[in-house]
Amino acid sequence: MQRKAKISLKTKEETINYSTEIDIKNNKINYMEDDTNVLFDMNNKLLVRDNKDIYMEYDFSNKKGFFYIKELRCEASVIIDIEKIAIEDNLIEIIYNIDNNNYFYKIEME
């Protein structure tokens, strides 16, 4: 099912807001952000971002993050400190911290 959505990502340095079409199937939200394919699995609380340069996976259930920089063939893992995860019918909000950097990720669905 396709729906319109507003996506927000806020850090202390910047705020990114945009509207896009999302596809929802099997409790998974998929959308494109410029040249990046984004998948959010609502059941497993998993956020995946993939483009030609980097693969990123945030497993909020297990408080782990993983990055793979494709050109360098280099990977790194991080610990995610979760402040809030709220998944409702038309709204997803996640507030988390990685290496003392706060993030606020939100999907508002129409």
Side-chain angles (χ1 to χ4, degrees):
M1 165 191 348
Q2 285 205 322
R3 296 171 72 176
K4 291 184 180 184
K6 293 179 185 174
I7 312 293
S8 301
L9 178 63
K10 296 179 185 178
T11 67
K12 70 178 178 182
E13 290 90 23
E14 68 180 324
T15 299
I16 301 167
N17 293 307
Y18 59 93
S19 297
T20 190
E21 292 281 329
I22 62 172
D23 188 41
I24 303 172
K25 186 185 241 182
N26 299 325
N27 265 351
K28 295 177 183 170
I29 297 172
N30 196 311
Y31 62 91
M32 290 298 293
E33 178 184 305
D34 295 323
D35 67 340
T36 302
N37 186 30
V38 181
L39 172 76
F40 183 73
D41 183 333
M42 292 183 278
N43 293 336
N44 296 309
K45 297 176 182 75
L46 180 72
L47 176 65
V48 176
R49 298 174 53 83
D50 188 21
N51 63 33
K52 66 180 181 67
D53 299 318
I54 193 166
Y55 174 86
M56 181 202 86
E57 185 174 295
Y58 286 168
D59 182 348
F60 294 110
S61 293
N62 293 308
K63 301 180 181 181
K64 295 179 183 178
F66 172 80
F67 296 90
Y68 180 70
I69 301 169
K70 295 176 180 179
E71 184 176 323
L72 301 175
R73 295 186 181 143
C74 176
E75 60 185 59
S77 297
V78 294
I79 302 297
I80 303 172
D81 180 31
I82 311 294
E83 289 185 32
K84 174 185 177 182
I85 296 178
I87 300 175
E88 300 171 9
D89 289 340
N90 295 318
L91 180 66
I92 296 169
E93 291 182 326
I94 304 173
I95 301 171
Y96 59 100
N97 182 296
I98 298 174
D99 293 332
N100 294 320
N101 294 307
N102 294 317
Y103 298 89
F104 176 71
Y105 177 66
K106 180 167 64 171
I107 302 174
E108 295 177 272
M109 296 168 266
E110 293 182 6

